[in-house]
Amino acid sequence: SLRVTAAGQRFYPYAQAMLNLRLRALADMGPESSAQSLRIGASTIPSAYVLPGLIARYQTAHPEVSFNIIRRDSLGVIGGVVQGETDLGLVGTCMQDERCLFQPFVQDELVLAAPNNEKFQLLQQQDVPLSELLREPLILREPSSGTRRETERMLQSLGMDCSSLNVVATFNDPEAIKNSIVNGIGISIISRWAVAELQRQRRVLLFSLGPTTGVRWLYIVTQRDSPLTGLATDFISFICRDARNPKAR
């Protein structure tokens, strides 16, 4: 068997980045008539609820472009951008990383979702404060997700932290969280987009986190010191125009 030395392990991400940059350069400098492909890393909410519509609208004008979408949590998406594995990323949180640029493009709203039963119907009618609701069994995303990081920021603004809450489960899958809420395991702080259909079906109740507390941005992530391909630049420009034109969606 082979084992990489400590120096080789340190060099490995640089080698990956160089090879990925070479591939991007070859793709960008190739004939314009050749097939074009864009590699995008996306965290859960952007990949499931934002990106499909963006791709459909972009391909209306650019049918020759194909997309390779890699779904990861926000930390994984940012890591893929840094290593050059993807041309750009879409995430639900902004991090302090000097290697990346974070460009906000559309707003999302985090809400507290609870099972639609008599207990939470009564709590909703009584308009109980958020601090009281958060005493209930709580389901969280994994620590590396954007939703989890925004939840922790919100809790800090309320003078609370996850260690003081009754956390009964942690999932890296929003579908598992939604099913857990419906089955009465607990409540969760989640994107309104993710539970919109369950709300329409009256299977969950939604509690607002407030006009400022629950609002977050979704971000376009790119490398700070690496040039974008022409296709990536054009798609980012399209995303920003699309965000300013809600009627197009």
Side-chain angles (χ1 to χ4, degrees):
S1 63
L2 292 174
R3 290 187 179 180
V4 180
T5 64
Q9 291 175 343
R10 292 198 305 272
F11 180 71
Y12 181 67
Y14 296 102
Q16 278 187 310
M18 287 189 288
L19 291 173
N20 286 325
L21 182 60
R22 174 182 177 274
L23 291 174
R24 289 169 61 186
L26 291 173
D28 197 39
M29 300 304 293
E32 294 185 3
S33 59
S34 62
Q36 294 181 290
S37 179
L38 190 61
R39 300 169 301 163
I40 302 176
S43 61
T44 304
I45 297 303
S47 67
Y49 304 102
V50 179
L51 200 47
L54 287 172
I55 290 174
R57 291 187 289 276
Y58 187 80
Q59 285 189 322
T60 299
H62 304 279
E64 75 284 358
V65 176
S66 64
F67 291 82
N68 180 13
I69 309 302
I70 302 172
R71 176 173 163 175
R72 296 170 171 160
D73 59 34
S74 291
L75 281 179
V77 171
I78 293 167
V81 171
V82 169
Q83 295 301 324
E85 296 172 4
T86 53
D87 300 303
L88 60 110
L90 301 179
V91 296
T93 189
C94 180
M95 298 179 58
Q96 296 296 324
D97 192 323
E98 62 183 14
R99 300 168 296 178
C100 295
L101 295 173
F102 291 82
Q103 180 178 353
F105 72 99
V106 71
Q107 281 189 329
D108 182 21
E109 181 186 3
L110 295 179
V111 294
L112 191 149
N116 189 359
N117 56 32
E118 291 183 6
K119 175 182 178 179
F120 287 101
Q121 290 169 7
L122 181 61
L123 290 175
Q124 194 172 63
Q125 291 169 7
Q126 294 174 341
D127 195 23
V128 299
L130 181 61
S131 57
E132 184 174 334
L133 287 170
L134 288 172
R135 296 174 185 171
E136 298 292 329
L138 186 64
I139 305 165
L140 293 175
R141 284 288 305 273
E142 76 280 13
S144 55
S145 82
T147 298
R148 172 67 174 268
R149 288 175 174 269
E150 293 303 311
T151 296
E152 291 174 346
R153 289 178 186 174
M154 183 209 71
L155 292 172
Q156 288 175 0
S157 71
L158 298 173
M160 307 172 69
D161 59 61
C162 291
S163 63
S164 66
L165 303 177
N166 180 18
V167 179
V168 294
T170 301
F171 289 99
N172 64 355
D173 179 8
E175 292 301 315
I177 292 178
K178 289 154 61 175
N179 289 331
S180 297
I181 296 169
V182 170
N183 284 284
I185 295 176
I187 64 175
S188 185
I189 294 173
I190 193 169
S191 168
R192 183 180 287 274
W193 279 328
V195 288
E197 184 59 28
L198 290 178
Q199 183 189 31
R200 282 192 290 269
Q201 297 170 358
R202 299 186 178 181
R203 301 175 69 190
V204 298
L205 295 175
L206 302 186
F207 296 80
S208 173
L209 302 179
T212 56
T213 304
V215 174
R216 68 165 176 177
W217 284 95
L218 302 184
Y219 296 87
I220 304 166
V221 187
T222 54
Q223 284 192 35
R224 182 182 297 274
D225 298 323
S226 181
L228 289 169
T229 65
L231 178 57
T233 300
D234 186 69
F235 186 67
I236 290 172
S237 297
F238 168 78
I239 291 176
C240 296
R241 292 194 305 271
D242 188 85
R244 292 193 297 266
N245 185 20
K247 291 182 179 180
R249 304 194 291 276

